[in-house]
Each structure stands twice: as C-alpha cells, then as structure tokens.
C-alpha cells in the first residue's frame, strides 16, 4: 500500500517530470550528434537549461531536420 501511495505523491510526480525533461534534453542533443552535426557549448547549454517539455519537443523535432545546431533556436 505504501508503494502505491508514493507514486501518487506530488514529489514522485516532480521526480518523473524532471526525468522526462532530462530525457528530452539528452535526446535532442543526441539526435544532432548522431546526425554528425557539431553541437557548440552555447547550444548545449541552452538545450540543457530548457525545462519546458513542449519547447523541448519542438527542439527535438528541429534536431531531426536541422543542418546546423543553431537552427534549433531559429525563432528566437
């Protein structure tokens, strides 16, 4: 019973959310690296600083099509 309660606890949800954010950040950078696109430190820092899952989804989608890592932030 205690285990089921823990997974419904707000702290558990926060931990899961932080994990999703970290996964999305890493995935975005990994896609660029897999595609052979150099990732400058400035771009890496901006991706890792982003904590908005919706925005990270957009960045991940752009990473699939980008010719350059800076294109992730073309709209800013």
């Amino acid at each position: 019973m205690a285990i089921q309660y823990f997974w419904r606890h707000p702290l558990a949800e926060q931990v899961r959310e932080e994990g999703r954010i970290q996964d999305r950040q890493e995935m975005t950078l990994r896609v660029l690296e897999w595609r052979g696109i150099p990732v400058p430190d400035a771009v890496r820092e901006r991706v890792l600083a982003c904590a908005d899952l919706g925005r990270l989804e957009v960045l991940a989608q752009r990473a699939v099509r980008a010719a350059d890592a800076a294109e992730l932030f073309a709209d800013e």
Side-chain angles (χ1 to χ4, degrees), residues 33-52:
E33 291 166 356
W34 287 337
R35 295 187 57 228
I37 297 173
V39 181
D41 289 340
V43 171
R44 182 177 305 279
E45 289 172 10
R46 286 181 73 182
V47 170
L48 294 176
C50 183
D52 179 331

Side-chain angles (χ1 to χ4, degrees), residues 32 35-38 62-72:
L32 291 171
R35 295 187 57 228
I37 297 173
R62 289 181 181 173
V64 172
R65 295 184 213 99
D68 181 274
E71 287 182 31
L72 296 181

Side-chain angles (χ1 to χ4, degrees), residues 22-37:
Q22 184 177 2
D23 286 345
R24 203 85 31 95
Q25 292 166 335
E26 291 172 1
M27 178 184 63
T28 301
L29 296 172
R30 210 172 305 127
V31 166
L32 291 171
E33 291 166 356
W34 287 337
R35 295 187 57 228
I37 297 173

Side-chain angles (χ1 to χ4, degrees), residues 53-70:
L53 279 172
R55 178 71 175 148
L56 286 167
E57 181 66 28
V58 170
L59 297 179
Q61 291 173 6
R62 289 181 181 173
V64 172
R65 295 184 213 99
D68 181 274

